[in-house]
Amino acid sequence: MTGARVLSRPQDNVPEGWEEMTLSDPFEQVIGPFYHRRTERGRDFAFRAGARHFNTGGAGVVHGGMILSFLDASLGACAYDAIRPGHAATLNLSTEFVSAAKLGDWVECRCEVLRQTRSILFVRGMLLANDKVVANASSLWKVIGA
């Protein structure tokens, strides 16, 4: 998840300060668009929960697979920012679901690198929908080639 471009989806009702990301991963292109903004911690990531993100039997809530995929993409981008121009692969992603995101929610991931060694990054993130915690995640990333 790198780069940015001018917003092209006004239907996503993107809050001020967020930019649409250029997604190079084909799977992320299917489940996106994703957005990002710079913060004092680095970058935050977000998406607008739409009908395509829902679980058919889930009473109008975002599918857990979408939440996990977005967390993996967001925490991976956070790891990438720490090792740029290198790359890293997910070793582990542990997630605790706290509540649900619903249709139309602005879903944000706030993440940070907790520790970095030569070959491993420890990254955690908190997923919020309209400032309400949806999930917490911790992850390990293997630096490719290290």
Side-chain angles (χ1 to χ4, degrees):
M1 294 180 5
T2 60
R5 61 186 173 101
V6 176
L7 298 178
S8 62
R9 293 176 177 82
Q11 70 273 17
D12 279 347
N13 190 21
V14 178
E16 189 174 334
W18 292 86
E19 296 179 13
E20 186 173 340
M21 300 179 69
T22 301
L23 302 173
S24 57
D25 183 289
F27 180 70
E28 291 170 3
Q29 291 172 4
V30 170
I31 63 174
F34 295 156
Y35 302 89
H36 65 156
R37 69 176 175 188
R38 296 273 172 209
T39 69
E40 62 282 350
R41 289 180 318 281
R43 281 195 296 167
D44 289 342
F45 304 92
F47 73 97
R48 178 70 66 189
R52 69 189 176 285
H53 301 130
F54 282 81
N55 184 331
T56 345
V61 299
V62 175
H63 194 289
M66 176 60 194
I67 297 294
L68 292 169
S69 295
F70 180 67
L71 281 166
D72 185 64
S74 299
L75 276 69
C78 187
Y80 172 75
D81 287 349
I83 59 168
R84 199 175 285 210
H87 294 281
T90 313
L91 288 176
N92 182 57
L93 175 62
S94 299
T95 306
E96 299 84 38
F97 290 93
V98 178
S99 64
K102 298 184 174 151
L103 181 64
D105 282 351
W106 182 251
V107 183
E108 292 181 33
C109 181
R110 298 178 186 163
C111 53
E112 64 182 329
V113 174
L114 298 175
R115 182 168 182 239
Q116 180 177 349
T117 70
R118 184 182 66 74
S119 61
I120 303 288
L121 292 108
F122 298 76
V123 183
R124 77 171 163 201
M126 180 170 52
L127 199 73
L128 302 107
N130 301 322
D131 294 318
K132 176 185 72 176
V133 177
V134 172
N136 291 303
S138 59
S139 60
L140 296 174
W141 296 84
K142 170 68 175 145
V143 177
I144 304 299

